[in-house]
Amino acid sequence: MIYRLSEVPPSLNMMFHYVRKGRVLTKEYRAWRKAMSKELLPIMPLKCDKYSLEIQVPRKTRGDIDNRIKAVSDLLVEVGATPDDRHMDECRIVRADVDETIIEVVGLA
C-alpha cells in the first residue's frame, strides 16, 4: 500500500526532549503524529505483523533523512497498521523528486 503524508516526518533529533525522569515527546512531534494519524486512519487497511517500509522524502528535505524513519514506523503503530514497529524486517529511505512524503508499506508473509 502506498500512502502520502502532507508533512515531512520530523527528525529524530526533534522528536524527544529529556527531563529528569527520562524522555518525553516534543510538542511539535505530538502535533505531527496527530495530524498524520488523521490522514492515515481513514485509508489504512493494512494489518500485518511483518512488513517492509520504503519512505520517499522531498529532495528539498533538510538534514539527515535516516533520522525520519522512527517517526514513520511509530506512526504505523499508532494507526494500527502493525502492533509494534519491531516487526519491520526491511526499511529504505530515499530523497526523491516528490512534493510530499510517500510511504510504501508491504506486508510480508
Side-chain angles (χ1 to χ4, degrees):
M1 302 299 296
I2 296 175
Y3 307 99
R4 297 179 182 277
L5 302 178
S6 64
E7 297 177 29
V8 174
S11 168
L12 186 60
N13 300 329
M14 302 304 290
M15 291 170 53
F16 306 100
H17 62 86
Y18 294 87
V19 295
R20 286 186 183 183
K21 296 182 181 181
R23 68 181 189 178
V24 295
L25 303 179
T26 63
K27 179 180 173 183
E28 295 80 13
Y29 178 49
R30 285 193 314 269
W32 179 85
R33 276 176 55 164
K34 183 177 181 181
M36 297 305 98
S37 291
K38 286 181 181 178
E39 285 185 16
L40 286 186
L41 277 172
I43 59 170
M44 183 57 77
L46 183 68
K47 302 272 190 208
C48 61
D49 286 340
K50 293 182 182 259
Y51 65 98
S52 170
L53 176 63
E54 179 171 311
I55 306 166
Q56 295 179 36
V57 295
R59 193 163 301 285
K60 65 183 178 188
T61 302
R62 297 177 59 162
D64 300 340
I65 61 173
D66 61 326
N67 283 343
R68 305 189 187 257
I69 296 169
K70 183 66 175 158
V72 173
S73 62
D74 285 351
L75 179 63
L76 293 174
V77 173
E78 176 140 339
V79 299
T82 183
D84 195 307
D85 55 351
R86 67 184 167 92
H87 297 296
M88 180 173 45
D89 280 354
E90 179 179 65
C91 183
R92 180 172 183 253
I93 186 167
V94 297
R95 290 183 197 273
D97 294 323
V98 296
D99 294 325
E100 54 195 358
T101 301
I102 298 172
I103 60 174
E104 182 174 5
V105 183
V106 178
L108 305 174

